[in-house]
Amino acid sequence: MTHAATSRFDAALSDYLLANKWFRERCDHCGRTYFSKWHRSCQSPWCPGSRPADPGVRGAARPPRPPSMQWQRLRRALAGRGVPPSAMPDLTSAARDTDLVVSALQHLDPVVHDGAPAPVGPYVLAQPCVRWQYLPTAGREDGVSSSFVNLSSLEVGGPDLVERLAHHLDIWLDGLSAIGIHARDVTIALTDEDCAYGPYEGRRADVNCAGVEIGELNWYYRVADAADRSLAVIDCGFSLERILSTATGVHGYHAALSPIYLAGVKGGGVVNDRARTLALLSLFGVTPGSRGPRRYARRLADELALSLLKGINLSGCLDHAAGYWRQFATPTAAPAAALATAAEAIEQRAIARLSGALGIAVPPQRMAFAEVADFLAVRAGGWEGVSRAVEALTAEA
């Protein structure tokens, strides 16, 4: 990373923020340089001086809005700035370097990898994404998940593109304000870390609020372009789920996005994460199987099988999640049939686990879930035997 690039990036932020009555500070707790209206710490998640979200700070004037209503307000605000959100037509990565789309930045894969013409002007994607490595941390307060909406403003240009960074930041401050996260609630924290992603190399600043990193401001000044053009890219990306939960002061976005069926359920955040991801895959035609993305769908169905045996209404959870995803993208599969296939896959895995625990083979003919359960109960000598097997299977789930 060059000193010149660092200076240009910092100057682009400083010129805009200082002119709008922000202050440049050095965090007393971690030493990080940041911009703020009044905060005495950088508000980074790992900074000792950060404090968790307080719904009384931003929510005292009105009750929190549900996520769908918040999204409608944010979408209108972005459209009012001339960047109505859209999404890619599929979950498949064009460059095939990942099984599925993991970032809105992949919208530029045809430009960077194939030499296609760059899109004109700034635009915003509200892109459903899947990142498998985040599954074990679902439900934690940092708000990461295996599936989420990457809300990102993108623009491609030349070496002077960094001068457009202020325009992108101004758009996002307007959008955040529309859902109750105002400039006074936010810090913009600089970082000395390299910002690199595949063919992209550049500079990054974090957008923090109440101890949660809700977004990033990225300027990629070096792009390994297949057509050998001198491209630069601005990518200002936010996790929609994080900003929705932060706007209401809820700790961990699963608490804000989970359906009623998971109220009071131990580990409900993880169950919600799995149901959300399986619903997203199903809506885009990814069914359980043994290869590619299908193997992950099978894994999710297998893990959700224990939740089904606990009595959780997973069909309701899948329907709830599908309603969420359909706000952002048009499914490529018929929704009702896709969700029915997902629910059936969960039932099949549940029966396989239960029959294995009981040591009783399932009949070869196709039967409904309830019919197979009745069959196993009879062979086990009654429902007490089945109940004991279910308790043993779900004891640590």
Side-chain angles (χ1 to χ4, degrees), residues 66-81:
S68 59
M69 187 178 296
Q70 290 281 61
W71 165 238
Q72 293 302 324
R73 291 177 66 89
L74 178 55
R75 186 169 66 175
R76 286 195 296 269
L78 293 171
R81 293 297 303 266

Side-chain angles (χ1 to χ4, degrees), residues 39 46 109 139 146 153 159 183 207 211 228 331 363 366 381 385:
H39 283 285
W46 44 264
D109 281 353
S146 66
S153 63
V207 183
D228 200 26
R366 191 177 184 84

Side-chain angles (χ1 to χ4, degrees), residues 178-255:
I179 60 171
I181 301 177
H182 303 291
R184 65 179 180 269
D185 304 315
V186 172
T187 64
I188 311 293
L190 301 178
T191 177
D192 295 328
E193 299 175 2
D194 289 339
C195 176
Y197 174 79
Y200 303 93
E201 180 183 349
R203 287 282 287 139
R204 184 190 96 226
D206 298 332
V207 183
N208 301 316
C209 180
V212 176
E213 182 189 310
I214 60 174
E216 294 180 353
L217 311 176
N218 297 292
W219 170 51
Y220 298 109
Y221 59 84
R222 183 175 294 124
V223 180
D225 174 40
D228 200 26
R229 295 165 290 187
S230 297
L231 297 182
V233 172
I234 288 176
D235 171 24
C236 297
F238 293 76
S239 166
L240 177 63
E241 290 81 358
R242 290 192 196 183
I243 62 177
L244 291 181
S245 61
T246 303
T248 57
V250 175
H251 295 278
Y253 69 69
H254 289 288

Side-chain angles (χ1 to χ4, degrees), residues 65-348:
R65 301 183 184 92
S68 59
M69 187 178 296
Q70 290 281 61
W71 165 238
Q72 293 302 324
R73 291 177 66 89
L74 178 55
R75 186 169 66 175
R76 286 195 296 269
L78 293 171
R81 293 297 303 266
V83 284
S86 60
M88 290 181 251
D90 200 355
L91 284 182
T92 304
S93 167
R96 303 292 179 178
D97 51 352
T98 58
D99 282 327
L100 297 169
V101 172
V102 301
S103 168
L105 189 59
Q106 288 176 285
H107 185 259
L108 295 178
D109 281 353
V111 177
V112 174
H113 295 287
D114 303 325
V120 178
Y123 61 99
V124 169
L125 290 179
Q127 182 59 47
C129 296
V130 179
R131 293 184 183 177
W132 305 111
Q133 67 269 30
Y134 289 165
L135 187 62
T137 59
R140 288 176 48 181
E141 290 184 8
D142 55 8
V144 293
S145 171
S146 66
S147 55
F148 65 104
V149 175
N150 186 195
L151 196 57
S152 181
S153 63
L154 295 169
E155 187 168 0
V156 182
D160 293 331
L161 183 67
V162 68
E163 296 174 5
R164 296 278 296 165
L165 187 63
H167 177 68
H168 286 254
L169 179 54
D170 193 68
I171 288 174
W172 285 114
L173 290 175
D174 272 358
L176 293 173
S177 181
I179 60 171
I181 301 177
H182 303 291
R184 65 179 180 269
D185 304 315
V186 172
T187 64
I188 311 293
L190 301 178
T191 177
D192 295 328
E193 299 175 2
D194 289 339
C195 176
Y197 174 79
Y200 303 93
E201 180 183 349
R203 287 282 287 139
R204 184 190 96 226
D206 298 332
V207 183
N208 301 316
C209 180
V212 176
E213 182 189 310
I214 60 174
E216 294 180 353
L217 311 176
N218 297 292
W219 170 51
Y220 298 109
Y221 59 84
R222 183 175 294 124
V223 180
D225 174 40
D228 200 26
R229 295 165 290 187
S230 297
L231 297 182
V233 172
I234 288 176
D235 171 24
C236 297
F238 293 76
S239 166
L240 177 63
E241 290 81 358
R242 290 192 196 183
I243 62 177
L244 291 181
S245 61
T246 303
T248 57
V250 175
H251 295 278
Y253 69 69
H254 289 288
L257 298 176
S258 292
I260 185 63
Y261 315 111
L262 297 176
V265 173
K266 183 180 179 181
V270 177
V271 177
N272 185 44
D273 176 76
R274 292 167 175 164
R276 277 167 50 89
T277 306
L278 183 57
L280 176 59
L281 295 176
S282 300
L283 291 175
F284 285 87
V286 181
T287 56
S290 58
R291 295 183 178 181
R294 297 184 65 195
R295 71 186 187 276
Y296 296 111
R298 183 179 65 180
R299 170 186 165 184
L300 290 167
D302 187 58
E303 292 169 334
L304 285 169
L306 295 180
S307 300
L308 179 65
L309 292 175
K310 286 183 175 181
I312 296 174
N313 181 358
L314 291 181
S315 292
C317 293
L318 291 171
D319 286 339
H320 182 270
Y324 178 83
W325 296 121
R326 291 173 70 181
Q327 296 178 98
F328 311 102
T330 302
T332 59
L339 297 180
T341 299
E344 183 179 0
I346 296 170
E347 291 177 349
Q348 290 175 348

